[in-house]
């Protein structure tokens, strides 16, 4: 089957709720995210006080993060090959600003059938089905993008596809870290859930490996660098189109974020001296193992030695 035929077959089967197609079984699993970060409630930062355009209540872009029920009620997808199946599981971690699993279904099908291992598609916080439908509504997001272009003269790469993420990261750049931390804990929870036999389609799990794409590589790197509870000591990572520190990335794209949002991220995370950076960042970024790993991956001098030592060890 040609790639686009496979894509359409899997897309239609997934949307119709079919469970077996193209040599795999597709299942949906549900849980409530175990961590709720009340300190991520929207508070205008110095960046946003400089002037983020008013968005409007109907977009739900000004809602406090902890009040977004879609993000707490998590659905992840398992793709299991037909026939004999190995006891190791592959966690597939997607890219930034993704709203639908359809693009990743052919990837998961190929990995599952070629390795004879179940593949678990893990949704990052506020992505996929964890984001409000309004953030993917063309009419609403086109209006947000238009407002941003009117407000910021010369704004680059603004589109309806990146309007929600651009607005939210500019409002509160630390959301990049807090959503990553929630995703980190959700991965740990999913692995514990599978190993406890609570996943209906995966009966046994001896080992965990990662297939990371784009920002999903960064999440996998932080998990491997910190190895919570020793659960990833033997894990491996396939890094696809990712892995660089933040200073080596350029996410400005009509499909990811606009230029003003990226400038806000750089100002918040990177454009300080070491003392200023320590003072500006949330405490969790400089006093927890996962925070130190994430901060090191920003690419500045803070925790550079720790990052390089961890990478050498891996």
């Amino acid at each position: 089957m040609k790639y686009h035929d496979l894509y359409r077959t899997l897309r239609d089967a997934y949307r119709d709720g079919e469970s077996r197609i193209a040599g795999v079984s597709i299942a949906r699993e549900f849980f409530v995210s175990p961590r709720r970060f009340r300190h991520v409630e929207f508070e205008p930062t110095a960046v946003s006080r400089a002037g983020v355009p008013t968005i409007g209540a109907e977009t739900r872009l000004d809602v406090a993060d902890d009040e977004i029920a879609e993000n707490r009620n998590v659905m992840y997808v398992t793709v299991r090959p037909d026939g004999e199946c190995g006891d190791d599981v592959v966690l597939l971690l997607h890219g930034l600003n993704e709203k639908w699993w359809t693009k990743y279904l052919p990837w998961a099908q190929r990995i599952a059938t070629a390795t004879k291992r179940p593949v678990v598609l893990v949704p990052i916080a506020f992505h996929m089905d964890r984001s409000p439908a309004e953030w993917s509504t063309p009419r609403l997001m086109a209006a947000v993008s238009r407002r941003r272009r009117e407000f910021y003269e010369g704004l680059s790469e603004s589109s309806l596809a990146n309007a929600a993420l651009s607005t939210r990261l500019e409002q509160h750049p630390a959301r990049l870290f807090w959503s990553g931390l929630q995703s980190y804990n959700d991965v740990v929870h999913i692995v514990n859930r599978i190993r406890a036999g609570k996943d209906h389609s995966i009966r046994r799990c001896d080992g965990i490996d990662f297939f990371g794409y784009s920002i999903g590589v960064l999440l996998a790197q932080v998990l491997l660098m910190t190895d919570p509870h020793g659960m990833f000591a033997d894990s491996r990572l396939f890094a696809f189109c990712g892995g660089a520190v933040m200073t080596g990335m350029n996410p400005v794209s009509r499909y990811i974020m606009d230029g003003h949002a990226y400038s806000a991220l750089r100002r918040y995370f990177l454009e300080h001296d070491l003392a200023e950076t320590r003072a500006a960042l949330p405490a969790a970024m400089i006093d927890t193992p996962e925070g130190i790993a994430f901060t090191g991956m920003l690419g500045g001098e803070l925790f550079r030695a720790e990052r390089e030592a961890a990478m050498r060890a891996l």
Side-chain angles (χ1 to χ4, degrees), residues 67-284:
E67 296 177 6
I68 297 175
E70 294 92 336
N71 185 54
R72 298 198 307 270
N73 299 311
V74 183
M75 182 198 75
Y76 65 92
V77 179
T78 63
V79 178
R80 189 181 190 281
D82 293 343
E84 292 294 323
C85 190
D87 296 327
D88 294 337
V89 174
V90 177
L91 301 185
L92 192 157
L93 304 177
H94 61 78
L96 193 61
N97 198 33
E98 299 278 14
K99 298 295 192 297
W100 299 280
W101 280 123
T102 48
K103 173 173 112 179
Y104 294 94
L105 293 175
W107 304 14
Q109 188 269 354
R110 176 61 175 167
I111 296 169
T113 56
T115 65
K116 296 298 181 184
R117 298 165 65 177
V119 178
V120 177
L121 282 64
V122 180
I124 292 173
F126 301 104
H127 286 63
M128 300 303 184
D129 298 283
R130 302 181 67 170
S131 65
E134 290 86 345
W135 298 355
S136 302
T137 302
R139 175 184 61 83
L140 293 176
M141 292 304 105
V144 173
S145 175
R146 182 170 60 252
R147 201 167 303 154
R148 290 182 65 80
R149 293 195 304 273
E150 293 169 351
F151 195 85
Y152 298 122
E153 184 177 354
L155 178 62
S156 62
E157 300 300 316
S158 177
S159 72
L160 66 88
N162 69 24
L165 182 69
S166 298
T167 300
R168 282 173 44 77
L169 288 180
E170 186 183 4
Q171 286 172 336
H172 203 321
R175 278 175 165 147
L176 183 69
F177 168 70
W178 291 120
S179 62
L181 182 58
Q182 185 172 16
S183 305
Y184 175 102
N185 285 294
D186 288 340
V187 170
V188 173
H189 181 77
I190 288 172
V191 172
N192 286 331
R193 190 176 187 272
I194 292 172
R195 287 180 168 164
K198 295 181 180 179
D199 190 296
H200 297 90
S201 58
I202 302 175
R203 295 304 178 187
R204 181 174 174 178
C205 175
D206 289 340
I208 296 287
D209 289 322
F210 294 93
F211 182 103
Y213 172 65
S214 188
I215 199 73
V217 179
L218 175 61
L219 176 56
Q221 286 172 316
V222 173
L223 285 158
L224 292 176
M225 292 165 74
T226 56
D227 190 17
H229 315 299
M231 61 174 50
F232 303 124
D234 298 320
S235 298
R236 292 173 181 257
L237 162 65
F238 185 93
F240 181 35
C241 298
V245 294
M246 185 173 172
T247 52
M249 301 177 187
N250 181 16
V252 178
S253 161
R254 293 177 62 83
Y255 302 104
I256 304 176
M257 70 180 71
D258 62 37
H260 209 277
Y262 183 55
S263 295
L265 284 179
R266 290 192 63 91
R267 287 196 300 272
Y268 183 83
F269 286 119
L270 296 169
E271 295 180 3
H272 311 280
D273 61 32
L274 288 181
E276 290 174 335
T277 298
R278 282 185 175 274
L281 299 180

Side-chain angles (χ1 to χ4, degrees), residues 276-292:
E276 290 174 335
T277 298
R278 282 185 175 274
L281 299 180
M285 287 184 63
I286 57 177
D287 63 11
T288 65
E290 53 270 32
I292 290 171

Side-chain angles (χ1 to χ4, degrees), residues 35-76:
R35 297 296 299 272
R36 298 176 66 186
F37 300 106
R38 295 208 62 83
H39 43 282
V40 203
E41 291 181 357
F42 174 64
E43 297 175 2
T45 62
V47 172
S48 61
R49 281 196 296 272
V52 175
T54 302
I55 301 303
E58 65 176 350
T59 67
R60 293 182 66 192
L61 285 170
D62 288 337
V63 176
D65 290 9
D66 197 54
E67 296 177 6
I68 297 175
E70 294 92 336
N71 185 54
R72 298 198 307 270
N73 299 311
V74 183
M75 182 198 75
Y76 65 92

